[in-house]
Amino acid sequence: LGSTGDVEIDPDSGNVLFGDGSNTIVDINVADAKLTIHDDAQVANKFEIAVGNNGETTLTSTDTDAAVAHINVVADGNITLDSAGDIVLDADGQDITLKDGGTEYGNIRLNVNADGMDGNDLILSSSRGNLGLDSSHGMAVFLQSGTQFLYLEHSSNDAQIYPAGDGANDIIFQDGAESSNEVFRVDGALQALAMPTQNAAGNNTNTGILSFN
């Protein structure tokens, strides 16, 4: 097929079909502005590109006997999402996973009554711990292995920070992010501000205790 000008295909039925001798594999629907590519082994499974009003474009994959019609985007370079409006991530499985070289390092999860959180809360996860955003109580919750251990909460006009548990837990302040040197602690059992005799982890002897009765 050759032409020095254009090649025009104008089917009265509205479809241009390409097959393998037995089944239609590619269906170009010029009436509805839709391209359908079928799995040549299971023709009911397919991928569609449809263009609607105002140029709205929808990509749809279909697996008729399961739910594994995944869409994989593999780029030998960068992938850029540049939207004139918003970018919406809608995950029915609740999880948005972040990976580097195939290794998971973070997760964003719309939580449903797990780890002591209420439904519709958001959990940001990493290998070091989790941060829960409790929308129903207006607080941030720090978790480790599913256990809540610290709360940041807004109450009336105050901001509150307190550990999880029965009130006997401590809030410890150190002199560096990775340091084991304790500067002082808010002691839940003593209900006081305690300062150690030396900057050493696990030292429970205090040079000074500030408490209020």
Side-chain angles (χ1 to χ4, degrees):
L1 178 64
S3 173
T4 58
D6 298 329
V7 175
E8 182 176 342
I9 301 175
D10 187 6
D12 290 340
S13 65
N15 293 80
V16 178
L17 307 177
F18 298 87
D20 60 2
S22 300
N23 301 300
T24 297
I25 303 303
V26 178
D27 179 354
I28 303 175
N29 187 328
V30 295
D32 294 333
K34 181 168 66 175
L35 168 65
T36 303
I37 303 174
H38 297 268
D39 182 348
D40 59 350
Q42 295 177 300
V43 293
N45 300 331
K46 58 190 177 181
F47 172 69
E48 296 177 327
I49 303 175
V51 180
N53 294 334
N54 304 312
E56 181 177 353
T57 302
T58 303
L59 310 180
T60 305
S61 64
T62 301
D63 182 0
T64 57
D65 54 4
V68 290
H70 308 310
I71 296 178
N72 301 309
V73 179
V74 180
D76 188 14
N78 298 328
I79 296 177
T80 301
L81 299 178
D82 187 355
S83 172
D86 298 327
I87 294 177
V88 179
L89 301 177
D90 186 355
D92 285 352
Q94 303 175 352
D95 290 283
I96 298 172
T97 303
L98 307 177
K99 293 185 177 182
D100 181 5
T103 301
E104 181 178 336
Y105 68 88
N107 184 278
I108 302 173
R109 185 168 196 263
L110 179 60
N111 194 63
V112 178
N113 297 324
D115 298 335
M117 303 286 288
D118 295 330
N120 299 321
D121 294 335
L122 190 66
I123 290 184
L124 309 179
S125 302
S126 73
S127 59
R128 301 292 298 274
N130 304 333
L131 171 63
L133 303 179
D134 188 332
S135 58
S136 59
H137 297 93
M139 67 168 62
V141 183
F142 292 88
L143 308 100
Q144 183 71 47
S145 301
T147 301
Q148 301 181 14
F149 64 90
L150 184 66
Y151 301 106
L152 298 175
E153 182 178 9
H154 176 266
S155 177
S156 296
N157 296 322
D158 300 324
Q160 300 177 350
I161 176 172
Y162 54 94
D166 57 6
N169 296 324
D170 300 339
I171 300 176
I172 300 173
F173 293 83
Q174 298 175 330
D175 63 2
E178 299 296 333
S179 173
S180 60
N181 295 331
E182 179 182 326
V183 178
F184 64 91
R185 71 172 60 204
V186 179
D187 193 307
L190 297 176
Q191 297 186 352
L193 178 65
M195 287 156 282
T197 56
Q198 55 183 327
N199 289 332
N203 190 338
N204 294 323
T205 302
N206 304 300
T207 54
I209 296 178
L210 179 62
S211 61
F212 300 91
N213 295 322

